[in-house]
mmCIF file of all heavy atoms in Angstrom:
data_model
loop_
_atom_site.group_PDB
_atom_site.id
_atom_site.type_symbol
_atom_site.label_atom_id
_atom_site.label_comp_id
_atom_site.label_asym_id
_atom_site.label_seq_id
_atom_site.Cartn_x
_atom_site.Cartn_y
_atom_site.Cartn_z
ATOM 1 N N ILE A 20 56.615 26.693 -19.036
ATOM 2 C CA ILE A 20 55.157 26.563 -18.965
ATOM 3 C C ILE A 20 54.652 27.451 -17.854
ATOM 4 O O ILE A 20 55.315 27.582 -16.860
ATOM 5 C CB ILE A 20 54.647 25.088 -18.835
ATOM 6 C CG1 ILE A 20 55.105 24.539 -17.472
ATOM 7 C CG2 ILE A 20 55.175 24.382 -20.002
ATOM 8 C CD1 ILE A 20 54.389 23.385 -17.004
ATOM 9 N N ARG A 21 53.477 27.945 -18.011
ATOM 10 C CA ARG A 21 52.892 28.577 -16.859
ATOM 11 C C ARG A 21 51.749 27.607 -16.406
ATOM 12 O O ARG A 21 50.824 27.290 -17.223
ATOM 13 C CB ARG A 21 52.139 30.000 -17.199
ATOM 14 C CG ARG A 21 51.604 30.615 -15.969
ATOM 15 C CD ARG A 21 51.229 32.063 -16.099
ATOM 16 N NE ARG A 21 50.173 32.097 -17.152
ATOM 17 C CZ ARG A 21 49.995 33.142 -17.932
ATOM 18 N NH1 ARG A 21 50.735 34.260 -17.908
ATOM 19 N NH2 ARG A 21 49.011 33.153 -18.949
ATOM 20 N N ARG A 22 51.876 27.131 -15.201
ATOM 21 C CA ARG A 22 51.009 26.145 -14.608
ATOM 22 C C ARG A 22 49.620 26.753 -14.400
ATOM 23 O O ARG A 22 49.448 27.849 -13.952
ATOM 24 C CB ARG A 22 51.469 25.566 -13.207
ATOM 25 C CG ARG A 22 52.735 24.837 -13.304
ATOM 26 C CD ARG A 22 53.301 24.566 -12.006
ATOM 27 N NE ARG A 22 52.294 23.935 -11.175
ATOM 28 C CZ ARG A 22 52.338 22.700 -10.686
ATOM 29 N NH1 ARG A 22 53.479 21.919 -10.820
ATOM 30 N NH2 ARG A 22 51.348 22.366 -9.862
ATOM 31 N N ARG A 23 48.573 25.945 -14.662
ATOM 32 C CA ARG A 23 47.167 26.305 -14.499
ATOM 33 C C ARG A 23 46.811 26.367 -13.115
ATOM 34 O O ARG A 23 46.056 27.350 -12.722
ATOM 35 C CB ARG A 23 46.235 25.421 -15.240
ATOM 36 C CG ARG A 23 45.558 25.901 -16.427
ATOM 37 C CD ARG A 23 44.604 25.013 -17.075
ATOM 38 N NE ARG A 23 44.752 24.938 -18.546
ATOM 39 C CZ ARG A 23 44.409 25.932 -19.396
ATOM 40 N NH1 ARG A 23 43.867 27.060 -18.836
ATOM 41 N NH2 ARG A 23 44.630 25.853 -20.603
ATOM 42 N N ASP A 24 47.317 25.516 -12.234
ATOM 43 C CA ASP A 24 47.005 25.505 -10.835
ATOM 44 C C ASP A 24 47.460 26.595 -9.948
ATOM 45 O O ASP A 24 46.726 27.042 -9.116
ATOM 46 C CB ASP A 24 47.287 24.142 -10.329
ATOM 47 C CG ASP A 24 48.856 23.848 -10.193
ATOM 48 O OD1 ASP A 24 49.474 24.612 -10.879
ATOM 49 O OD2 ASP A 24 49.094 22.760 -9.593
ATOM 50 N N ASN A 25 48.670 27.171 -10.288
ATOM 51 C CA ASN A 25 49.093 28.234 -9.559
ATOM 52 C C ASN A 25 49.716 29.377 -10.190
ATOM 53 O O ASN A 25 50.176 30.374 -9.568
ATOM 54 C CB ASN A 25 50.153 27.607 -8.391
ATOM 55 C CG ASN A 25 51.362 26.899 -9.269
ATOM 56 O OD1 ASN A 25 51.639 27.386 -10.342
ATOM 57 N ND2 ASN A 25 52.124 26.275 -8.559
ATOM 58 N N GLY A 26 49.720 29.388 -11.551
ATOM 59 C CA GLY A 26 50.255 30.442 -12.298
ATOM 60 C C GLY A 26 51.655 30.681 -12.358
ATOM 61 O O GLY A 26 52.217 31.660 -12.872
ATOM 62 N N HIS A 27 52.423 29.718 -11.787
ATOM 63 C CA HIS A 27 53.976 29.839 -11.823
ATOM 64 C C HIS A 27 54.513 29.283 -13.071
ATOM 65 O O HIS A 27 54.008 28.457 -13.655
ATOM 66 C CB HIS A 27 54.453 28.948 -10.542
ATOM 67 C CG HIS A 27 54.103 29.534 -9.283
ATOM 68 N ND1 HIS A 27 54.539 28.923 -8.117
ATOM 69 C CD2 HIS A 27 53.352 30.653 -8.824
ATOM 70 C CE1 HIS A 27 54.148 29.663 -7.016
ATOM 71 N NE2 HIS A 27 53.390 30.647 -7.464
ATOM 72 N N TRP A 28 55.595 29.979 -13.491
ATOM 73 C CA TRP A 28 56.445 29.595 -14.589
ATOM 74 C C TRP A 28 57.555 28.511 -14.155
ATOM 75 O O TRP A 28 58.139 28.817 -13.159
ATOM 76 C CB TRP A 28 57.132 30.881 -15.201
ATOM 77 C CG TRP A 28 56.125 31.724 -15.930
ATOM 78 C CD1 TRP A 28 55.482 32.850 -15.406
ATOM 79 C CD2 TRP A 28 55.563 31.609 -17.226
ATOM 80 N NE1 TRP A 28 54.712 33.476 -16.293
ATOM 81 C CE2 TRP A 28 54.713 32.652 -17.487
ATOM 82 C CE3 TRP A 28 55.853 30.651 -18.274
ATOM 83 C CZ2 TRP A 28 54.118 32.860 -18.763
ATOM 84 C CZ3 TRP A 28 55.204 30.845 -19.462
ATOM 85 C CH2 TRP A 28 54.265 31.948 -19.640
ATOM 86 N N GLU A 29 57.657 27.558 -14.918
ATOM 87 C CA GLU A 29 58.615 26.533 -14.717
ATOM 88 C C GLU A 29 58.762 25.599 -15.858
ATOM 89 O O GLU A 29 57.978 25.795 -16.840
ATOM 90 C CB GLU A 29 58.324 25.709 -13.413
ATOM 91 C CG GLU A 29 56.903 25.041 -13.565
ATOM 92 C CD GLU A 29 56.469 24.416 -12.223
ATOM 93 O OE1 GLU A 29 56.318 25.105 -11.187
ATOM 94 O OE2 GLU A 29 56.255 23.109 -12.128
ATOM 95 N N PRO A 30 59.848 24.724 -15.759
ATOM 96 C CA PRO A 30 60.002 23.772 -16.900
ATOM 97 C C PRO A 30 58.804 22.732 -16.895
ATOM 98 O O PRO A 30 58.377 22.450 -15.876
ATOM 99 C CB PRO A 30 61.392 23.181 -16.693
ATOM 100 C CG PRO A 30 61.598 23.384 -15.331
ATOM 101 C CD PRO A 30 60.873 24.602 -14.828
ATOM 102 N N PRO A 31 58.477 22.190 -18.075
ATOM 103 C CA PRO A 31 57.512 21.120 -18.016
ATOM 104 C C PRO A 31 57.975 20.008 -17.229
ATOM 105 O O PRO A 31 59.131 19.572 -17.338
ATOM 106 C CB PRO A 31 57.205 20.770 -19.515
ATOM 107 C CG PRO A 31 58.589 21.229 -20.218
ATOM 108 C CD PRO A 31 58.919 22.424 -19.392
ATOM 109 N N GLY A 32 56.964 19.191 -16.620
ATOM 110 C CA GLY A 32 57.396 17.991 -15.906
ATOM 111 C C GLY A 32 56.273 17.585 -14.885
ATOM 112 O O GLY A 32 55.385 18.160 -14.810
ATOM 113 N N GLY A 33 56.672 16.526 -14.236
ATOM 114 C CA GLY A 33 55.644 15.949 -13.253
ATOM 115 C C GLY A 33 56.192 14.681 -12.607
ATOM 116 O O GLY A 33 57.222 14.311 -12.708
ATOM 117 N N VAL A 34 55.180 14.155 -11.844
ATOM 118 C CA VAL A 34 55.534 12.956 -11.077
ATOM 119 C C VAL A 34 55.559 11.648 -11.942
ATOM 120 O O VAL A 34 54.562 11.586 -12.760
ATOM 121 C CB VAL A 34 54.552 12.849 -9.835
ATOM 122 C CG1 VAL A 34 54.807 11.596 -9.037
ATOM 123 C CG2 VAL A 34 54.656 14.017 -8.967
ATOM 124 N N LEU A 35 56.315 10.772 -11.646
ATOM 125 C CA LEU A 35 56.436 9.509 -12.349
ATOM 126 C C LEU A 35 55.275 8.620 -11.814
ATOM 127 O O LEU A 35 54.900 8.624 -10.636
ATOM 128 C CB LEU A 35 57.730 8.620 -12.029
ATOM 129 C CG LEU A 35 58.895 9.055 -12.936
ATOM 130 C CD1 LEU A 35 59.549 10.354 -12.471
ATOM 131 C CD2 LEU A 35 59.964 7.958 -12.626
ATOM 132 N N GLU A 36 54.590 7.902 -12.847
ATOM 133 C CA GLU A 36 53.736 6.937 -12.429
ATOM 134 C C GLU A 36 54.325 5.646 -11.934
ATOM 135 O O GLU A 36 55.476 5.336 -12.470
ATOM 136 C CB GLU A 36 52.733 6.564 -13.835
ATOM 137 C CG GLU A 36 52.004 7.803 -14.310
ATOM 138 C CD GLU A 36 51.027 8.244 -13.438
ATOM 139 O OE1 GLU A 36 50.444 7.645 -12.576
ATOM 140 O OE2 GLU A 36 50.668 9.539 -13.489
ATOM 141 N N PRO A 37 53.649 4.876 -11.221
ATOM 142 C CA PRO A 37 54.407 3.587 -10.530
ATOM 143 C C PRO A 37 55.044 2.739 -11.617
ATOM 144 O O PRO A 37 56.167 2.193 -11.430
ATOM 145 C CB PRO A 37 53.333 2.983 -9.840
ATOM 146 C CG PRO A 37 52.307 3.986 -9.553
ATOM 147 C CD PRO A 37 52.340 4.987 -10.624
ATOM 148 N N GLU A 38 54.406 2.588 -12.801
ATOM 149 C CA GLU A 38 55.001 1.627 -13.752
ATOM 150 C C GLU A 38 55.943 2.139 -14.760
ATOM 151 O O GLU A 38 56.490 1.485 -15.617
ATOM 152 C CB GLU A 38 53.886 0.907 -14.525
ATOM 153 C CG GLU A 38 53.036 1.873 -15.545
ATOM 154 C CD GLU A 38 52.060 2.881 -14.863
ATOM 155 O OE1 GLU A 38 51.821 2.975 -13.795
ATOM 156 O OE2 GLU A 38 51.665 3.683 -15.773
ATOM 157 N N GLU A 39 56.168 3.529 -14.690
ATOM 158 C CA GLU A 39 56.949 4.210 -15.727
ATOM 159 C C GLU A 39 58.483 4.078 -15.421
ATOM 160 O O GLU A 39 58.808 4.339 -14.297
ATOM 161 C CB GLU A 39 56.520 5.685 -15.779
ATOM 162 C CG GLU A 39 55.276 5.991 -16.557
ATOM 163 C CD GLU A 39 55.059 7.480 -16.604
ATOM 164 O OE1 GLU A 39 55.010 8.162 -15.604
ATOM 165 O OE2 GLU A 39 54.897 7.958 -17.696
ATOM 166 N N THR A 40 59.202 4.245 -16.518
ATOM 167 C CA THR A 40 60.625 4.447 -16.395
ATOM 168 C C THR A 40 60.841 6.015 -16.386
ATOM 169 O O THR A 40 59.890 6.714 -16.820
ATOM 170 C CB THR A 40 61.407 3.804 -17.646
ATOM 171 O OG1 THR A 40 60.973 4.514 -18.765
ATOM 172 C CG2 THR A 40 61.200 2.306 -17.749
ATOM 173 N N ILE A 41 62.006 6.343 -16.000
ATOM 174 C CA ILE A 41 62.292 7.848 -15.881
ATOM 175 C C ILE A 41 62.273 8.433 -17.296
ATOM 176 O O ILE A 41 61.587 9.415 -17.495
ATOM 177 C CB ILE A 41 63.662 8.052 -15.264
ATOM 178 C CG1 ILE A 41 63.506 7.636 -13.784
ATOM 179 C CG2 ILE A 41 64.089 9.434 -15.390
ATOM 180 C CD1 ILE A 41 64.756 7.626 -12.951
ATOM 181 N N PRO A 42 62.895 7.850 -18.358
ATOM 182 C CA PRO A 42 62.653 8.439 -19.705
ATOM 183 C C PRO A 42 61.311 8.523 -20.191
ATOM 184 O O PRO A 42 60.950 9.419 -20.841
ATOM 185 C CB PRO A 42 63.724 7.562 -20.606
ATOM 186 C CG PRO A 42 64.637 6.905 -19.563
ATOM 187 C CD PRO A 42 63.774 6.665 -18.312
ATOM 188 N N HIS A 43 60.581 7.491 -20.049
ATOM 189 C CA HIS A 43 59.224 7.416 -20.567
ATOM 190 C C HIS A 43 58.428 8.590 -19.761
ATOM 191 O O HIS A 43 57.594 9.192 -20.424
ATOM 192 C CB HIS A 43 58.514 6.104 -20.259
ATOM 193 C CG HIS A 43 57.093 6.096 -20.689
ATOM 194 N ND1 HIS A 43 56.033 6.218 -19.924
ATOM 195 C CD2 HIS A 43 56.622 5.996 -21.992
ATOM 196 C CE1 HIS A 43 54.972 6.185 -20.632
ATOM 197 N NE2 HIS A 43 55.185 6.068 -21.878
ATOM 198 N N ALA A 44 58.585 8.657 -18.441
ATOM 199 C CA ALA A 44 57.757 9.688 -17.732
ATOM 200 C C ALA A 44 58.201 11.183 -18.191
ATOM 201 O O ALA A 44 57.424 12.008 -18.423
ATOM 202 C CB ALA A 44 58.060 9.650 -16.341
ATOM 203 N N LEU A 45 59.574 11.407 -18.471
ATOM 204 C CA LEU A 45 60.044 12.650 -19.064
ATOM 205 C C LEU A 45 59.283 12.944 -20.297
ATOM 206 O O LEU A 45 58.749 14.006 -20.576
ATOM 207 C CB LEU A 45 61.420 12.554 -19.126
ATOM 208 C CG LEU A 45 62.174 13.876 -19.698
ATOM 209 C CD1 LEU A 45 61.931 15.055 -18.889
ATOM 210 C CD2 LEU A 45 63.597 13.566 -19.973
ATOM 211 N N GLN A 46 59.482 11.915 -21.258
ATOM 212 C CA GLN A 46 58.718 12.190 -22.535
ATOM 213 C C GLN A 46 57.256 12.485 -22.411
ATOM 214 O O GLN A 46 56.691 13.367 -23.104
ATOM 215 C CB GLN A 46 59.003 11.041 -23.470
ATOM 216 C CG GLN A 46 58.831 11.314 -24.910
ATOM 217 C CD GLN A 46 59.300 10.110 -25.787
ATOM 218 O OE1 GLN A 46 58.930 9.113 -25.654
ATOM 219 N NE2 GLN A 46 60.283 10.539 -26.747
ATOM 220 N N ARG A 47 56.590 11.652 -21.662
ATOM 221 C CA ARG A 47 55.220 11.798 -21.527
ATOM 222 C C ARG A 47 54.863 13.312 -20.931
ATOM 223 O O ARG A 47 53.945 13.895 -21.385
ATOM 224 C CB ARG A 47 54.608 10.783 -20.559
ATOM 225 C CG ARG A 47 53.094 10.908 -20.263
ATOM 226 C CD ARG A 47 52.636 9.886 -19.157
ATOM 227 N NE ARG A 47 53.276 9.949 -18.019
ATOM 228 C CZ ARG A 47 53.153 10.775 -17.102
ATOM 229 N NH1 ARG A 47 52.208 11.799 -17.130
ATOM 230 N NH2 ARG A 47 53.748 10.785 -15.843
ATOM 231 N N GLU A 48 55.478 13.588 -19.821
ATOM 232 C CA GLU A 48 55.198 14.846 -19.231
ATOM 233 C C GLU A 48 55.422 16.078 -20.136
ATOM 234 O O GLU A 48 54.672 16.990 -20.190
ATOM 235 C CB GLU A 48 55.916 14.988 -17.853
ATOM 236 C CG GLU A 48 55.458 14.190 -16.714
ATOM 237 C CD GLU A 48 54.132 14.686 -16.168
ATOM 238 O OE1 GLU A 48 53.706 15.692 -16.443
ATOM 239 O OE2 GLU A 48 53.588 13.919 -15.352
ATOM 240 N N VAL A 49 56.561 16.020 -20.777
ATOM 241 C CA VAL A 49 56.823 17.248 -21.691
ATOM 242 C C VAL A 49 55.837 17.308 -22.802
ATOM 243 O O VAL A 49 55.338 18.267 -23.158
ATOM 244 C CB VAL A 49 58.323 17.125 -22.169
ATOM 245 C CG1 VAL A 49 58.535 18.061 -23.390
ATOM 246 C CG2 VAL A 49 59.239 17.194 -21.153
ATOM 247 N N LEU A 50 55.453 16.061 -23.376
ATOM 248 C CA LEU A 50 54.418 16.098 -24.423
ATOM 249 C C LEU A 50 53.084 16.610 -23.955
ATOM 250 O O LEU A 50 52.431 17.362 -24.517
ATOM 251 C CB LEU A 50 54.272 14.631 -24.935
ATOM 252 C CG LEU A 50 53.335 14.557 -26.155
ATOM 253 C CD1 LEU A 50 53.744 15.330 -27.325
ATOM 254 C CD2 LEU A 50 53.249 12.998 -26.619
ATOM 255 N N GLU A 51 52.614 16.141 -22.818
ATOM 256 C CA GLU A 51 51.380 16.470 -22.243
ATOM 257 C C GLU A 51 51.272 17.957 -22.034
ATOM 258 O O GLU A 51 50.237 18.654 -22.145
ATOM 259 C CB GLU A 51 51.059 15.731 -20.875
ATOM 260 C CG GLU A 51 50.661 14.287 -21.014
ATOM 261 C CD GLU A 51 50.577 13.724 -19.640
ATOM 262 O OE1 GLU A 51 50.667 14.325 -18.595
ATOM 263 O OE2 GLU A 51 50.264 12.467 -19.619
ATOM 264 N N GLU A 52 52.375 18.535 -21.502
ATOM 265 C CA GLU A 52 52.334 20.031 -21.079
ATOM 266 C C GLU A 52 52.798 20.921 -22.145
ATOM 267 O O GLU A 52 52.441 22.183 -22.016
ATOM 268 C CB GLU A 52 53.238 20.182 -19.844
ATOM 269 C CG GLU A 52 52.660 19.481 -18.615
ATOM 270 C CD GLU A 52 53.443 19.620 -17.385
ATOM 271 O OE1 GLU A 52 54.440 20.343 -17.330
ATOM 272 O OE2 GLU A 52 52.988 18.996 -16.413
ATOM 273 N N THR A 53 53.445 20.493 -23.120
ATOM 274 C CA THR A 53 53.885 21.429 -24.332
ATOM 275 C C THR A 53 53.461 21.000 -25.668
ATOM 276 O O THR A 53 53.452 21.913 -26.557
ATOM 277 C CB THR A 53 55.378 21.488 -24.296
ATOM 278 O OG1 THR A 53 55.938 20.209 -24.765
ATOM 279 C CG2 THR A 53 56.015 21.834 -22.948
ATOM 280 N N GLY A 54 53.016 19.814 -26.041
ATOM 281 C CA GLY A 54 52.694 19.430 -27.335
ATOM 282 C C GLY A 54 53.984 18.977 -28.081
ATOM 283 O O GLY A 54 53.822 18.635 -29.245
ATOM 284 N N ILE A 55 55.061 19.009 -27.429
ATOM 285 C CA ILE A 55 56.402 18.728 -28.029
ATOM 286 C C ILE A 55 56.893 17.313 -27.533
ATOM 287 O O ILE A 55 56.857 16.984 -26.540
ATOM 288 C CB ILE A 55 57.396 19.751 -27.736
ATOM 289 C CG1 ILE A 55 57.039 21.198 -28.185
ATOM 290 C CG2 ILE A 55 58.915 19.447 -28.241
ATOM 291 C CD1 ILE A 55 56.952 21.331 -29.721
ATOM 292 N N LYS A 56 57.224 16.511 -28.609
ATOM 293 C CA LYS A 56 57.904 15.151 -28.362
ATOM 294 C C LYS A 56 59.472 15.441 -28.399
ATOM 295 O O LYS A 56 60.043 16.066 -29.168
ATOM 296 C CB LYS A 56 57.595 14.175 -29.380
ATOM 297 C CG LYS A 56 58.176 12.821 -29.146
ATOM 298 C CD LYS A 56 57.800 11.723 -30.053
ATOM 299 C CE LYS A 56 58.315 10.385 -29.719
ATOM 300 N NZ LYS A 56 57.967 9.467 -30.637
#
Side-chain angles (χ1 to χ4, degrees):
I20 64 162
R21 186 170 58 209
R22 294 175 48 122
R23 248 183 228 288
D24 60 354
N25 62 18
H27 292 182
W28 288 96
E29 57 190 59
V34 177
L35 277 72
E36 301 294 336
E38 73 285 352
E39 280 185 309
T40 65
I41 292 168
H43 181 259
L45 176 65
Q46 195 171 58
R47 175 186 58 78
E48 285 287 349
V49 170
L50 181 61
E51 285 176 1
E52 295 183 359
T53 68
I55 300 295
K56 183 175 182 181

